[in-house]
Amino acid sequence: MSSEQAGEDPDEALVAAILDAEREAQLAELMRSPARVEALIEQNALGLDFDFALDLGGGLAALGFLDTARLVALSALADGDAKVLAAGRLALGWIELKRGKHRKALAAIDDAVGNTDLDVLAEAAYLRGVILESRGKHAQAAAEYERVIGMPRRRSAGLAALSLAEMLSAAGHDEQAVEVLAVALECGVAHVVPQAALQLALIRDRSGDVEGAIPLYRKAMESGVPSAAPRGAFHLGEILRGAGDVPGAQNAFKTAYATGDPEFAPKAGINLGIIYMDANRVPEAFACFETAAGSPDRNVAALGHCYVGVVLADTDPAAAERHLRTAMKQGDRQVKELASDVLRRLGR
């Protein structure tokens, strides 16, 4: 919904957008540093409101920092404001969901909806939808998401639209997903819009509309939002490299690589390393391949080991052989063939 549709003054909407972006930056910084969060809690200086308590507690839980997330939730529960208290209960729900304790998560929602504030009800319904989806109850989850989309809280409606669109796309209903994504793209929420742009880019890319995907991938990349930027940058790099735009691809892969994202930084490292090798920037290529070798994805790690072996082949054949044999143990057929070819050239 645009500011004109909502009856907002354009200047007020601009100020709200700036404040929202500043808040998102603060939130992202705190989620990268659980120790900082714990220090602020100890100093009674966290300054929680409803959105901040919910986003920080739920965000830390999603990242696996469950102990710190619980401290945030308990701080909210100790707050004198009833709405902040409800946020603490919902944050506990996100923690229990992360732990796989669905009944406890639902119980936390039931505790929260004793507060009949519309923001609380919208966030509770959204969390209920996520829980139902995680249990494979897609029809019920979709009903919850649709209910939230019809509520006036833009943040909740955007998140619900994003979740529903992802669920529809995964089921092969891309046209319906695109319709739903319009809600998320227009919600104006700083961390939701780039995720929606990424999802729409993936759908367009998959359908062959590469030109339509490029600006959306770029939007996701330039947002800096952790759940959108690394993947958007990686896929943009793939498209640009395939189109022969090596400088553009290099910039996109560098952006993905610099995020340190556990999935897309190593993948980008492979592509960036190859570009560096083609430019005879061997030390930089080697660093990228080493990063890739540490990927949690066995095949990406194998490819990283393989290229480390390629780099070392002329200067340290014994070390090269170790990396190449590691690649052969855990890589797919294509990686094994590449590693085997290099080993044959080494005479090993």
Side-chain angles (χ1 to χ4, degrees):
M1 181 183 296
S2 69
S3 61
E4 291 181 3
Q5 289 173 313
E8 297 176 23
D9 181 271
D11 291 337
E12 289 181 3
L14 177 60
V15 170
I18 292 170
L19 292 175
D20 193 23
E22 290 176 350
R23 177 185 170 282
E24 290 297 330
Q26 181 190 11
L27 183 66
E29 182 181 351
L30 286 174
M31 285 199 290
R32 287 193 295 267
S33 179
R36 172 67 175 153
V37 175
E38 293 176 17
L40 288 171
I41 291 172
E42 190 173 337
Q43 298 161 18
N44 196 29
L46 196 54
L48 295 174
D49 60 21
F50 176 75
D51 285 340
F52 201 61
L54 188 56
D55 284 346
L56 184 57
L60 287 166
L63 292 171
F65 300 119
L66 298 185
D67 291 341
T68 307
R70 186 170 293 278
L71 289 175
V72 173
L74 293 175
S75 295
L77 290 172
D79 195 283
D81 184 276
K83 190 170 176 179
V84 175
L85 186 149
R89 287 173 173 157
L90 290 171
L92 287 176
W94 285 105
I95 293 167
E96 295 300 341
L97 173 61
K98 181 68 176 181
R99 295 176 61 227
K101 306 292 184 181
H102 294 154
R103 288 185 181 179
K104 287 187 176 181
L106 290 169
I109 294 174
D110 291 340
D111 288 341
V113 295
N115 185 316
T116 56
D117 182 281
L118 288 177
D119 290 347
V120 176
L121 294 177
E123 287 294 328
Y126 171 61
L127 175 53
R128 190 178 294 110
V130 174
I131 293 168
L132 288 166
E133 183 181 353
S134 71
R135 296 173 67 184
K137 298 185 176 182
H138 291 166
Q140 292 171 264
E144 289 291 338
Y145 292 146
E146 287 168 357
R147 186 158 76 92
V148 179
I149 290 169
M151 293 180 169
R153 180 169 160 83
R154 290 187 305 168
R155 175 195 183 279
S156 308
L159 285 168
L162 183 63
S163 293
L164 179 56
E166 289 174 346
M167 194 165 67
L168 288 167
S169 185
H173 306 304
D174 280 346
E175 288 187 12
Q176 291 174 263
V178 170
E179 291 179 12
V180 173
L181 278 172
V183 176
L185 285 166
E186 295 170 10
C187 75
V189 180
H191 67 282
V192 174
V193 174
Q195 293 182 75
L198 173 63
Q199 288 304 314
L200 184 55
L202 291 167
I203 291 171
R204 287 185 175 175
D205 196 353
R206 189 164 57 244
S207 69
D209 181 12
V210 174
E211 289 302 314
I214 287 175
L216 293 164
Y217 280 140
R218 196 178 300 281
K219 183 173 186 174
M221 176 182 77
E222 293 174 351
S223 72
V225 172
S227 51
R231 189 174 186 182
F234 174 74
H235 287 301
L236 178 63
E238 285 190 312
I239 289 175
L240 295 178
R241 189 175 178 218
D245 181 1
V246 176
Q250 180 177 319
N251 180 64
F253 288 134
K254 280 178 71 175
T255 300
Y257 184 71
T259 66
D261 181 83
E263 180 178 359
F264 289 99
K267 287 182 176 180
I270 294 291
N271 290 275
L272 186 58
I274 292 170
I275 290 173
Y276 284 149
M277 286 289 285
D278 289 342
N280 202 31
R281 295 166 63 177
V282 178
E284 292 155 287
F286 185 76
C288 290
F289 295 145
E290 278 198 314
T291 297
S295 170
D297 182 311
R298 284 178 60 87
N299 202 56
V300 174
L303 201 51
H305 281 290
C306 186
Y307 280 113
V308 167
V310 170
V311 174
L312 293 174
D314 292 332
T315 58
D316 191 344
E321 181 180 2
R322 288 196 298 273
H323 284 282
L324 290 163
R325 294 204 179 280
T326 298
M328 291 192 69
K329 284 180 183 177
Q330 61 189 51
D332 63 16
R333 187 175 69 179
Q334 188 175 1
V335 174
K336 288 177 179 177
E337 288 176 356
L338 177 59
S340 179
D341 287 343
V342 181
L343 282 169
R344 277 198 297 271
R345 290 203 301 271
L346 288 173
R348 304 270 174 160

